[in-house]
Amino acid sequence: MPETPEKPAASLSYKQAGVDIDAGNALVEAIKPAIRATARPGANPEIGGFGGLFDLGALKYHDPVLVAANDGVGTKLRIAIDTGQLDGVGQDLVAMCVNDLIVQGAEPLFFLDYLATARLEVAEAAQIVKGIAAGCSLAGCALIGGETAEMPGMYADKDFDLAGFAVGIVERTAILPASNLAAGDVILGLVSSGLHSNGFSLVREIIKRTDADLNAPAPFDPATPLANALLTPTRIYVRSILAALAQSAPIKALAHITGGGFVENIPRILPQNLAAHIDLSALTAPPLFGWLARKGNISETEMLRTFNCGIGMVAIVSEADATATQKILRASGETVIPIGRLEHRRPDENAISFAGALFP
């Protein structure tokens, strides 16, 4: 008996499988003006090629070293997605990378981003990439490429993730930290813009346990919705520090206060024979941090190893140069606070110690 022929399968397209190529093309066109605005010497950020180009010959360096960094925004994205406030996460992404470059004295040159999502919404994705471009402009680096991946089945409906990659350049003789760190050197704190992009898993747990309303006025700032206070974009310190370095400000070392807070990040730049002594009474932690500490019943130690507590970057200078360096940084728009000094350290001592109280 002859077999019954199978009916031809219905024709399928990539779009029916969840990937819209036309949406990707529309996004590229939507973001081109923002990307062009990040052009700088060495880069002409016209996107569309298979790779981004950067001409090191356009720069006047004698013995350069390239410095690379990559990072993401973390679970701060969860709050941004849930509230639809996507304007600042692009700057967060750039800041987390370029602030790591500047701590080694490196001038950021170019940036690439990666956006992965369940379904590409052109307007939202354009908003995110325009924020990345704005962050690049603040840092003086070119956005020379990136990737948008539509991945149905990997992410829930409106979820997405961001990653970034930055490359900078520094003269070999100017790489930080310097080798002349010494006891008595002054630790200067550069004020943060808020939480930046660290500790948000703990922040979200506090919000969950206290049933805090993200759209309601912040308990510590009634003029600002809680979500807005939490999502304040990460401050980018690049231009002010480069300005200081260009004026021969004798900055010996820098530390970006990110995940791990003071406790983990400052010791990373210190030699074995030195320790940082921080005077917490010199800080005025913004009310947001006090609210988190109270609502989460978080110990001072945990606060100092999780959050920036109001200081997003520290610079170490000699006592003789502290006043001049503060003046240069303040002229570039930074709020600068002397928060401690370096001390001699014995082998059995911790690399960082604290005096005073974070929340008196």
Side-chain angles (χ1 to χ4, degrees):
M1 185 174 181
E3 294 183 4
T4 304
E6 294 182 4
K7 293 183 180 180
S11 177
L12 279 174
S13 67
Y14 208 6
K15 185 174 183 178
Q16 287 172 310
V19 179
D20 190 342
I21 295 175
D22 292 333
N25 293 334
L27 173 62
V28 170
E29 292 304 314
I31 62 179
K32 279 183 176 180
I35 293 175
R36 291 191 186 108
T38 70
R40 54 150 293 151
N44 180 19
E46 289 291 337
I47 58 173
F50 286 92
L53 302 176
F54 193 95
D55 180 12
L56 289 176
L59 308 178
K60 296 180 180 179
Y61 280 79
H62 172 66
D63 184 19
V65 174
L66 295 180
V67 184
N70 70 302
D71 211 331
V73 180
T75 60
K76 185 176 187 176
L77 288 178
R78 182 75 269 158
I79 296 175
I81 292 167
D82 290 346
T83 61
Q85 297 187 37
L86 306 178
D87 290 338
V89 294
Q91 179 173 325
D92 285 316
L93 181 66
V94 176
M96 296 305 289
C97 296
V98 298
N99 284 343
D100 278 353
L101 296 182
I102 195 62
V103 300
Q104 293 181 271
E107 170 195 1
L109 297 178
F110 60 83
F111 190 87
L112 297 99
D113 67 275
Y114 175 74
L115 167 62
T117 183
R119 184 180 68 254
L120 184 59
E121 299 287 350
V122 174
E124 292 182 356
Q127 189 179 6
I128 294 165
V129 177
K130 287 174 182 177
I132 294 171
C136 286
S137 294
L138 287 172
C141 63
L143 180 55
I144 64 170
E147 175 69 12
T148 302
E150 202 168 11
M151 302 170 65
M154 293 292 291
Y155 295 90
D157 185 31
K158 287 187 173 294
D159 287 355
F160 65 87
D161 198 10
L162 287 173
F165 178 86
V167 171
I169 190 168
V170 59
E171 290 285 7
R172 190 180 303 275
T173 56
I175 295 173
L176 297 177
S179 60
N180 62 341
L181 289 167
D185 285 348
V186 176
I187 303 172
L188 303 176
L190 279 63
V191 169
S192 69
S193 56
L195 284 168
H196 287 183
S197 295
N198 301 104
F200 272 86
S201 292
L202 179 53
V203 171
R204 289 170 46 243
E205 183 64 22
I206 292 169
I207 291 170
K208 177 182 176 182
R209 292 190 179 190
T210 60
D211 199 26
D213 184 350
L214 290 170
N215 297 310
F220 48 86
D221 182 6
T224 305
L226 178 58
N228 294 46
L230 298 176
L231 293 173
T232 301
T234 305
R235 185 167 181 80
I236 293 175
Y237 298 96
V238 169
R239 289 188 182 273
S240 57
I241 293 174
L242 285 177
L245 295 173
Q247 295 184 51
S248 299
I251 294 174
K252 294 184 176 185
L254 294 155
H256 186 196
I257 308 303
T258 56
F262 289 84
V263 175
E264 301 292 335
N265 288 294
I266 296 177
R268 293 169 65 181
I269 61 172
L270 299 179
Q272 289 294 317
N273 65 321
L274 293 174
H277 182 72
I278 305 297
D279 179 8
L280 295 177
S281 65
L283 304 179
T284 303
L288 164 58
F289 295 97
W291 178 77
L292 289 170
R294 291 191 303 274
K295 290 297 182 181
N297 192 26
I298 306 172
S299 69
E300 182 177 87
T301 299
E302 187 69 10
M303 290 294 296
L304 290 167
R305 71 190 300 266
T306 303
F307 301 111
N308 67 60
C309 297
I311 300 294
M313 182 77 69
V314 300
I316 300 178
V317 299
S318 69
E319 183 175 20
D321 297 319
T323 299
T325 304
Q326 289 178 75
K327 184 177 180 180
I328 294 171
L329 290 169
R330 286 168 179 159
S332 296
E334 301 297 345
T335 300
V336 187
I337 305 168
I339 62 170
R341 290 180 179 270
L342 297 189
E343 298 179 340
H344 291 293
R345 173 166 53 128
R346 296 193 303 268
D348 60 336
E349 290 180 326
N350 292 327
I352 189 165
S353 63
F354 299 94
L358 185 60
F359 305 110

